C-alpha cells in the first residue's frame, strides 16, 4: 500500500471514527475471505455469475481497507501510520495469497494450503484490535520492540564473555575446524579489557531504551502536532540503536580488530547521544526526568573514552 494523503473536502479527521471504519472494513474482508473459501471448498464449482459476484465483493472489501488507511493523515504520526500501513498490507497480501491458492488447488476437496491461507486472512484482519490507537501508543509499542531486541543482544554477548576463553567452543570441537590455541578463536586479556567497555556501551543502550520507554509512557502525549512530531523523532532515532548494537557485537568476536571495534563503538555512542538529546528537549522529559538523561550521557562518554584509551596504541 503506497503512501498518500486524505482527499480534499472531507470532514475534519477524527481518530475514533477512523478506527470504527477500519475495524468494519477489516471485519468485512474477513467475512469475504470465508465466503470465497467456502465457495471453493468442494464441488460443484460456483457458476460464472457467482464467481463474478464473489470477485467483486472481495475486490470491494480490499479497496475499502486501502481507502480507509488513506484517511489517516501523516500528521497523526508517521510511527502510527506505518503500523496501520503494515497491518493493511498484510490483509491485502493475505487475500492475494488465498486467491492464488484457490486458483491453483484442485477442487475435489478443501486443501490444507487453502485452510492455512484462509486462517492467515482471519489473523491479519483480527490485528486491527491490537493496533495502537494514537501515536503515543504507537511509539511505546515501537520502543518496547527495540528494547526486546537490544536485551537479547546484550544477553548473548554477556553469555559469550562468561563462557571462557573460547567463544566458539560449542562449534570448534572438531580438530579439523580449528584448535583451541588458535588466536582467531579466543580473546586475549587486552581484548577482554576493551570488550568490557563495549559491554558498558551495550548496557547503556538497554538502559537508554528502558528509560525513554518509561518517559514516553508516563509523559508522552499526542494532542498537538508538535508532540506527535517529537514522538516520531524519538522513535526514528531509537530505531538506530539495535542495528548499531548488533554491528558492535559482531566486531567484538575474535579475531578482534581494534579499529573496527572503536568505529562501531563510536557509532553506537553517537546514536545514544542523539537519542538522549532528542528526549531531553522533548515534552517526554520534564525536569523530573533530567537526572537519568545526565547520568546516561555520562555513562556513554565514560565507556567511549575507555574504548579510545584501550585502542590508542593498537591502531
Amino acid at each position: 500500500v503506497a503512501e498518500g494523503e486524505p482527499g480534499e473536502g472531507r470532514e475534519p479527521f477524527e481518530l475514533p471514527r477512523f478506527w470504527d471504519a477500519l475495524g468494519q472494513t477489516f471485519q468485512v474482508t474477513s467475512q469475504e475471505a470465508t465466503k470465497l473459501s467456502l465457495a471453493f471448498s468442494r464441488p460443484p464449482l460456483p457458476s460464472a455469475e457467482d464467481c463474478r459476484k464473489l470477485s467483486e465483493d472481495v475486490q470491494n472489501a480490499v479497496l475499502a481497507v486501502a481507502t480507509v488507511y488513506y484517511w489517516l493523515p501523516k500528521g497523526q504520526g508517521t510511527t502510527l501510520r506505518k503500523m496501520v500501513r503494515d497491518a493493511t498490507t498484510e490483509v491485502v497480501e493475505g487475500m492475494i495469497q488465498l486467491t492464488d491458492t484457490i486458483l491453483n488447488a484442485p477442487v475435489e476437496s478443501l486443501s490444507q494450503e487453502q485452510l492455512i491461507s484462509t486462517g492467515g486472512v482471519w489473523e491479519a484482519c483480527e490485528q486491527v484490535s491490537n493496533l495502537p490507537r494514537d501515536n503515543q501508543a504507537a511509539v511505546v509499542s515501537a520502543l518496547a520492540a527495540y528494547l526486546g531486541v537490544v536485551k537479547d543482544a546484550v544477553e548473548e554477548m554477556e553469555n559469550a564473555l562468561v563462557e571462557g576463553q573460547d567463544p566458539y567452543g560449542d562449534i570448534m570441537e572438531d580438530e579439523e575446524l580449528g584448535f583451541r590455541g588458535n588466536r582467531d578463536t579466543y580473546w586475549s586479556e587486552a581484548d577482554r579489557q576493551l570488550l568490557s567497555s563495549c559491554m558498558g556501551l551495550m548496557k547503556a543502550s538497554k538502559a537508554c531504551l528502558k528509560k525513554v520507554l518509561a518517559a514516553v509512557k508516563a509523559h508522552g502525549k499526542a494532542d498537538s502536532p508538535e508532540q506527535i512530531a517529537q514522538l516520531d523523532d524519538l522513535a526514528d532515532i531509537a530505531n538506530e540503536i539495535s542495528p548499531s548494537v548488533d554491528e558492535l557485537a559482531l566486531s567484538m568476536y575474535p579475531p578482534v580488530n581494534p579499529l573496527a571495534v572503536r568505529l562501531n563503538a563510536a557509532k553506537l555512542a553517537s546514536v545514544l547521544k542523539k537519542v538522549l538529546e532528542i528526549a531531553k528537549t522533548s515534552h517526554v522529559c520534564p525536569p523530573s526526568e533530567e537526572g537519568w538523561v545526565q547520568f546516561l550521557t555520562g555513562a556513554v562518554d565514560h565507556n567511549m573514552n575507555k574504548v579510545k584509551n584501550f585502542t590508542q596504541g593498537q591502531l
Side-chain angles (χ1 to χ4, degrees):
V1 181
E3 291 291 341
E5 284 292 2
E8 294 297 319
R10 189 173 285 129
E11 293 174 22
F13 179 82
E14 293 175 12
L15 262 178
R17 287 178 64 188
F18 166 78
W19 287 116
D20 286 346
L22 194 71
Q24 284 169 13
T25 58
F26 273 46
Q27 187 179 1
V28 168
T29 305
S30 182
Q31 290 165 352
E32 291 305 327
T34 306
K35 275 166 55 180
L36 182 67
S37 195
L38 283 173
F40 288 90
S41 62
R42 60 186 177 276
L45 279 171
S47 66
E49 177 60 26
D50 287 341
C51 282
R52 187 189 63 77
K53 179 73 170 66
L54 280 165
S55 299
E56 267 184 22
D57 289 347
V58 166
Q59 186 178 9
N60 289 338
V62 169
L63 284 173
V65 165
T67 301
V68 175
Y69 157 68
Y70 282 125
W71 290 356
L72 182 62
K74 288 178 184 174
Q76 289 294 325
T78 54
T79 310
L80 176 66
R81 203 165 189 267
K82 182 183 183 304
M83 289 180 181
V84 176
R85 186 185 70 214
D86 289 347
T88 304
T89 303
E90 209 169 310
V91 169
V92 175
E93 288 176 346
M95 198 57 114
I96 292 168
Q97 188 185 352
L98 174 59
T99 308
D100 281 342
T101 302
I102 289 170
L103 287 171
N104 297 318
V107 192
E108 286 74 33
S109 63
L110 187 64
S111 70
Q112 187 66 22
E113 288 79 13
Q114 191 177 328
L115 280 170
I116 291 168
S117 295
T118 308
V121 177
W122 292 342
E123 277 184 39
C125 291
E126 283 166 11
Q127 274 193 77
V128 71
S129 60
N130 299 322
L131 285 169
R133 273 358 198 201
D134 61 20
N135 208 46
Q136 187 260 0
V139 171
V140 164
S141 174
L143 291 173
Y146 306 155
L147 176 59
V149 175
V150 169
K151 269 182 178 174
D152 289 345
V154 171
E155 192 176 321
E156 191 178 317
M157 185 50 69
E158 280 180 327
N159 290 339
L161 283 163
V162 164
E163 279 163 10
Q165 292 293 330
D166 185 0
Y168 298 118
D170 57 340
I171 56 170
M172 286 295 190
E173 295 303 326
D174 189 334
E175 286 188 2
E176 290 179 15
L177 289 175
F179 296 98
R180 300 239 167 202
N182 187 335
R183 175 67 184 82
D184 288 354
T185 67
Y186 73 94
W187 284 303
S188 67
E189 195 49 48
D191 288 341
R192 285 180 173 274
Q193 284 187 317
L194 171 59
L195 299 191
S196 69
S197 303
C198 293
M199 279 307 304
L201 274 177
M202 288 174 73
K203 286 176 180 175
S205 305
K206 185 172 82 169
C208 182
L209 278 169
K210 203 172 176 182
K211 288 292 190 181
V212 170
L213 173 59
V216 172
K217 277 183 180 176
H219 309 291
K221 289 185 171 59
D223 301 330
S224 70
E226 186 183 16
Q227 290 169 341
I228 289 169
Q230 286 176 350
L231 290 171
D232 281 332
D233 287 344
L234 256 181
D236 288 346
I237 186 64
N239 190 28
E240 294 180 30
I241 294 178
S242 175
S244 301
V245 165
D246 286 343
E247 283 176 36
L248 176 58
L250 284 172
S251 68
M252 287 163 67
Y253 279 95
V256 173
N257 177 337
L259 176 59
V261 171
R262 180 167 172 166
L263 287 172
N264 285 319
K267 184 182 172 188
L268 176 57
S270 171
V271 169
L272 292 175
K273 295 286 280 288
K274 276 190 214 164
V275 172
L276 292 165
E277 187 56 38
I278 288 171
K280 184 181 177 182
T281 55
S282 77
H283 71 281
V284 306
C285 272
S288 60
E289 302 285 340
E290 284 174 7
W292 65 260
V293 174
Q294 197 174 344
F295 174 79
L296 284 174
T297 303
V300 171
D301 287 337
H302 173 72
N303 283 294
M304 191 60 224
N305 286 334
K306 282 170 74 176
V307 170
K308 286 177 184 173
N309 291 338
F310 284 130
T311 53
Q312 207 66 53
Q314 302 177 53
L315 302 180

